[in-house]
Amino acid sequence: MALPFAARLDNVETSAIRELFKLLGKPGIISFAGGFPDAAMFDVEGLREASSHVLTHAPGAALQYGATEGYQPLREQLVQFMATKGVGLAPEELIVTTGSQQALDLLGKAMIDPGDAVIVEGPTFLATIQCFRLYGARVIAAPVDSHGARVDELERLIAEHRPKLVYLIPTFGNPTGATLTLERRKRVLELAARTRTLVVEDDPYGDLYFGEPPPDSLLALSTDVPGSRDWLAYCGSLSKVLSPGLRIGWLSGPAELLAKATMCKQFSDAHTSTFAQATAAEYLRAGRMPATLAHVRAVYAERARAMCDALRKELGDAIAFSEPGGGLFVWARLTGAGGKVADAGVLAKRAIEKGVAFVPGAPFYATEPDAATLRLSFATADVDKIREGVERLALALCSHA
Amino acid sequence: MALPFAARLDNVETSAIRELFKLLGKPGIISFAGGFPDAAMFDVEGLREASSHVLTHAPGAALQYGATEGYQPLREQLVQFMATKGVGLAPEELIVTTGSQQALDLLGKAMIDPGDAVIVEGPTFLATIQCFRLYGARVIAAPVDSHGARVDELERLIAEHRPKLVYLIPTFGNPTGATLTLERRKRVLELAARTRTLVVEDDPYGDLYFGEPPPDSLLALSTDVPGSRDWLAYCGSLSKVLSPGLRIGWLSGPAELLAKATMCKQFSDAHTSTFAQATAAEYLRAGRMPATLAHVRAVYAERARAMCDALRKELGDAIAFSEPGGGLFVWARLTGAGGKVADAGVLAKRAIEKGVAFVPGAPFYATEPDAATLRLSFATADVDKIREGVERLALALCSHA
């Protein structure tokens, strides 16, 4: 067999994390490896009522083909949801996507020709790097610190590479958990408008804050920076706050971009499941989201605190991290203090043997990986399991297998 | 504004049918224009029971992220569904897609580099042409007759263009309604194996037969033609028989192709809605599909018969067509007899004025459009409306607006 696959595919390497995930099936493993929310927190009753309501009151629309741009009642509800976050949009200013992963795919499909540069944070969401590489992109990593992307470096890289787009997760980033400061947000918007460079704001975690809300999104702030909204796309998602299984995301951006993305979507999957869209629309309409958000924020805040406390207590100066203000992740760095292992890939294998899993940080870098980094998700284990998992991690760190 | 879109997008023209569809909103229009099933036939009660069952018994799985390849219980049910059609597959030999449109997109994404040739039937499903063109394909149309693609011409075009793939709708094709004969099916499979050319069988309509079942699918027949299954991909769909709004399709093919398609899907939408997949799996498990199929076959058969009878009675020798044995469409050709209009685009505009809509055939041709052709869907109007619509069509044909 020698099927003639597209040359673009040679640009993508998927084995890094996949190999590790194969080991997760081992019984009794405590996993900090996932990037998903805790299924125990899904509002099953609310979603049951919503889907039942939809099949009673609008079965034809919910089960039939729908507009590629999205189910209109959902677009209206998403606009109201965005309004609670300080963003003023008309329903026509967003399109519904099959998860925010599809929003990234549509941006790649609409924008990227083989050889084009795109800039991402180093490190960033792995599936974004691979998604853009599948379209033949050269993916350039911009340096970040604990306050998110460094805007001076971003400016230098834009001038050097003239990228098709700059992709950022400004709020509780994946994997770093870092949040771009208000001052840097304004500078990013000015940079987008001045250099006429499309900035993509991916915002799946912005609602998951533990104390004070994070700074306003780039999209909300764009009204203050003349010309910036013409160069800004925003990706939203219900996956982390309500249910990933619905596959409901959305994309907002300049009209011309939405038109091209809609055309790309028409030939990608025609439209997102109307059954899922109508269910989500009814869920939002019924007013359940505020209570759901309050619940998940409280639970994740408790787990984040427990993980950070345990890491400090059990691993001491062998690990460095900033306590996250929201999201799902603690991003950490092995210091090598006390002669302990400083390669997170090596530690990951030992950790599996001790019964705890996490994801090494290196694959999240498009270029120049930092092998000492690791990502720990506190989302799916309860507080007792988190403490036990961190104890196992400490054992793995001290072992010399 | 001058966003730098990908050069591939210039390869796609979407205005042809879109302009016509804008006119469909006119009140009182009888539409033969759609390509969708009748929402009145959806088994709403069955789907309500299925989704409720899923949220009671497996809410975590149905609302959480899932495997890119598909929800395993659905893969198992789809394998059983395919077995009723003479196809033996293991669950790992198919992946679930977000409608069969996504199966086409994944084939394009995995196979096509800009400038590659693909061969389709002339005419064929418009969204297939556009989907492949979005990846930069040169789309070559192979001639068809009332028995489907002409295999001698296909062989000549394969030799001439060395295509990445050949796309066929062998059973009740869209738009022609034509069905490839058993003898031609075997020759296509031999051709695929001999020329080492991937053949894609798109089969959304095969279950919608009115009398005798159609010949076995290429996939079912491939066991008889040595080596052919290594060069055959199959796209299935629940959209035409159960509900398009679920967005459940599937792709089967050689293991290497499924692996690449899965990687492409991972970065397209991560996975198809698990809520929709679990609902479809439970629907199939509950054994409702045979009765649903019997019902839709009977209704569409009656409507097809009514449309053909009315066309013969009202339009006489001004129109030529073959009576379809299944599917959703009558494909016809204006003969110009009696000096009547022979351009379906002209007739379409007059028809809207008389209160009936259909789709001209020309846009379905990747190359060399036949302006006299038109596609009439009998799926969504009842028998009385079909008769009234055809009467209006006859009026339009005689008008000289």
Side-chain angles (χ1 to χ4, degrees):
Chain A
M1 264 270 298
L3 282 166
F5 294 109
R8 291 175 287 101
L9 271 58
D10 298 338
N11 209 22
V12 184
E13 168 59 60
T14 59
S15 62
I17 288 189
R18 201 173 276 243
E19 289 306 305
L20 193 74
F21 269 77
K22 283 183 188 161
L23 304 172
L24 284 183
K26 200 176 145 183
I29 290 271
I30 295 174
S31 179
F32 302 148
F36 39 85
D38 187 347
M41 278 188 279
F42 295 154
D43 180 4
V44 177
E45 201 42 49
L47 287 166
R48 186 210 306 279
E49 279 179 24
S51 66
S52 173
H53 185 276
V54 154
L55 289 177
T56 302
H57 294 95
L63 298 174
Q64 185 58 285
Y65 284 111
T68 301
E69 292 86 347
Y71 183 65
Q72 197 62 19
L74 178 59
R75 295 170 92 188
E76 289 164 8
Q77 288 299 326
L78 291 175
V79 158
Q80 291 192 31
F81 183 53
M82 293 298 289
T84 66
K85 303 193 269 187
V87 177
L89 290 176
E92 291 67 34
E93 291 179 302
L94 62 80
I95 65 172
V96 178
T97 58
T98 306
S100 59
Q101 182 67 46
Q102 192 188 44
L104 303 177
D105 183 59
L106 297 176
L107 288 165
K109 203 169 183 177
M111 305 297 296
I112 299 171
D113 284 312
D116 282 346
V118 306
I119 295 176
V120 303
E121 288 156 293
T124 191
F125 179 42
L126 185 57
T128 301
I129 300 174
Q130 307 291 39
C131 171
F132 292 159
R133 280 191 177 151
L134 254 182
Y135 289 102
R138 284 183 300 123
V139 182
I140 318 288
V144 302
D145 59 26
S146 59
H147 302 297
R150 287 178 46 193
V151 185
D152 53 342
E153 290 289 330
L154 211 50
E155 179 156 17
R156 186 181 62 75
L157 290 168
I158 287 172
E160 183 180 342
H161 295 285
R162 299 304 311 154
K164 278 293 180 80
L165 57 86
V166 173
Y167 169 84
L168 302 174
I169 312 174
T171 309
F172 314 133
N174 179 6
T176 67
T179 291
L180 202 66
T181 61
L182 179 62
E183 184 263 340
R184 286 195 190 179
R185 285 171 194 245
K186 290 185 176 167
R187 284 175 59 204
V188 165
L189 289 167
E190 285 159 6
L191 190 59
R194 179 158 45 81
T195 63
R196 302 171 67 85
T197 304
L198 183 67
V199 169
V200 176
E201 174 176 41
D202 193 5
D203 189 27
Y205 308 107
D207 291 305
L208 296 178
Y209 52 85
F210 303 151
E212 286 298 297
D216 279 350
S217 63
L218 294 178
L219 185 58
L221 294 168
S222 64
T223 49
D224 300 338
V225 181
S228 63
R229 199 173 271 197
D230 288 344
W231 298 97
L232 182 66
Y234 176 95
C235 306
S237 173
L238 294 181
S239 292
K240 303 302 189 287
V241 293
L242 181 59
S243 152
L246 294 174
R247 308 307 300 129
I248 301 293
W250 60 99
L251 173 67
S252 185
E256 193 190 3
L257 178 64
L258 288 191
K260 297 288 187 193
T262 300
M263 182 188 76
C264 289
K265 181 170 169 64
Q266 190 180 349
F267 307 121
S268 292
D269 66 1
H271 60 83
T272 297
S273 167
T274 38
F275 182 44
Q277 287 189 78
T279 297
E282 172 56 23
Y283 185 91
L284 290 166
R285 193 204 60 76
R288 285 181 171 264
M289 192 58 111
T292 297
L293 283 175
H295 177 58
V296 294
R297 281 172 190 148
V299 173
Y300 290 144
E302 184 190 22
R303 291 178 182 178
R305 173 67 51 92
M307 178 173 274
C308 291
D309 288 348
L311 286 171
R312 277 187 289 261
K313 173 168 173 247
E314 304 289 340
L315 281 78
D317 64 356
I319 198 165
F321 62 91
S322 298
E323 189 151 345
L328 304 177
F329 308 113
V330 171
W331 177 247
R333 199 165 184 288
L334 301 174
T335 62
K340 294 200 178 69
V341 63
D343 182 310
V346 172
L347 181 62
K349 291 199 185 77
R350 291 188 195 166
I352 290 275
E353 285 163 23
K354 299 293 181 192
V356 62
F358 66 87
V359 181
F364 294 97
Y365 291 83
T367 52
E368 299 176 59
D370 181 348
T373 55
L374 62 158
R375 189 190 76 176
L376 301 161
S377 167
F378 47 77
T380 52
D382 64 26
V383 166
D384 288 342
K385 287 283 182 202
I386 285 173
R387 289 184 187 132
E388 192 178 337
V390 174
E391 285 169 16
R392 293 180 187 181
L393 193 62
L395 284 175
L397 195 68
C398 295
S399 73
H400 299 276
Chain B
M1 264 270 298
L3 282 166
F5 294 110
R8 292 175 287 101
L9 271 59
D10 297 338
N11 209 21
V12 183
E13 166 59 62
T14 58
S15 63
I17 289 188
R18 203 173 274 244
E19 289 306 305
L20 193 74
F21 270 75
K22 284 183 187 160
L23 305 170
L24 285 183
K26 200 176 143 182
I29 289 271
I30 295 174
S31 179
F32 302 147
F36 38 84
D38 187 348
M41 278 189 279
F42 295 154
D43 180 4
V44 177
E45 201 41 49
L47 287 166
R48 185 209 307 278
E49 281 180 23
S51 66
S52 173
H53 185 276
V54 154
L55 289 178
T56 302
H57 294 95
L63 298 174
Q64 185 58 284
Y65 283 111
T68 301
E69 293 85 345
Y71 183 64
Q72 196 63 16
L74 178 58
R75 295 170 91 188
E76 289 164 9
Q77 288 298 326
L78 291 174
V79 159
Q80 291 191 31
F81 183 54
M82 293 297 289
T84 67
K85 303 194 267 186
V87 176
L89 290 177
E92 291 66 35
E93 291 179 302
L94 63 80
I95 65 171
V96 177
T97 58
T98 305
S100 59
Q101 182 68 45
Q102 191 188 44
L104 303 177
D105 183 59
L106 296 177
L107 288 165
K109 202 169 184 178
M111 306 295 298
I112 299 171
D113 284 312
D116 283 345
V118 305
I119 296 176
V120 303
E121 289 157 293
T124 192
F125 178 42
L126 184 57
T128 301
I129 300 174
Q130 308 291 41
C131 170
F132 293 159
R133 279 189 178 151
L134 254 182
Y135 289 102
R138 286 184 298 123
V139 182
I140 318 288
V144 302
D145 59 25
S146 58
H147 302 298
R150 287 176 47 192
V151 185
D152 52 342
E153 289 288 331
L154 211 50
E155 179 157 16
R156 185 181 62 74
L157 290 169
I158 287 173
E160 184 181 341
H161 295 284
R162 299 304 312 156
K164 277 293 180 81
L165 58 86
V166 173
Y167 169 85
L168 302 174
I169 311 174
T171 308
F172 314 133
N174 179 6
T176 67
T179 292
L180 201 67
T181 61
L182 179 61
E183 184 262 340
R184 286 194 189 178
R185 286 171 194 244
K186 290 184 176 167
R187 284 175 60 204
V188 165
L189 289 168
E190 287 159 5
L191 190 60
R194 180 157 45 82
T195 63
R196 302 170 67 84
T197 305
L198 183 68
V199 169
V200 176
E201 174 176 40
D202 193 5
D203 189 27
Y205 308 107
D207 291 304
L208 297 178
Y209 53 84
F210 302 152
E212 286 298 298
D216 279 350
S217 63
L218 294 177
L219 185 57
L221 292 168
S222 64
T223 49
D224 299 340
V225 180
S228 63
R229 200 173 271 195
D230 288 344
W231 299 96
L232 182 66
Y234 176 96
C235 307
S237 174
L238 293 182
S239 293
K240 304 302 188 289
V241 294
L242 181 59
S243 154
L246 293 175
R247 307 307 299 130
I248 302 292
W250 59 98
L251 173 66
S252 185
E256 193 190 5
L257 178 65
L258 287 192
K260 296 288 188 194
T262 299
M263 182 189 75
C264 289
K265 181 172 168 64
Q266 191 180 349
F267 307 120
S268 293
D269 65 2
H271 61 83
T272 297
S273 167
T274 38
F275 183 44
Q277 287 189 78
T279 297
E282 172 57 23
Y283 186 91
L284 290 167
R285 194 204 60 76
R288 285 180 172 266
M289 192 57 113
T292 298
L293 284 175
H295 176 58
V296 295
R297 281 173 191 147
V299 172
Y300 290 144
E302 184 190 22
R303 291 177 182 178
R305 172 66 53 89
M307 177 172 275
C308 291
D309 287 349
L311 286 171
R312 277 186 289 261
K313 175 167 173 249
E314 303 289 342
L315 281 80
D317 63 356
I319 196 164
F321 62 92
S322 297
E323 191 152 341
L328 303 177
F329 307 113
V330 172
W331 177 247
R333 200 167 183 287
L334 301 174
T335 63
K340 295 198 178 68
V341 62
D343 183 310
V346 172
L347 181 62
K349 292 199 183 77
R350 290 188 195 167
I352 290 275
E353 285 163 23
K354 299 293 181 192
V356 61
F358 65 87
V359 181
F364 294 97
Y365 291 83
T367 53
E368 299 176 60
D370 181 348
T373 55
L374 60 158
R375 190 190 76 175
L376 301 161
S377 168
F378 47 77
T380 51
D382 64 26
V383 166
D384 288 343
K385 288 284 183 202
I386 285 173
R387 288 184 186 130
E388 192 178 337
V390 173
E391 285 168 16
R392 293 180 186 181
L393 193 62
L395 283 174
L397 195 67
C398 294
S399 74
H400 299 276

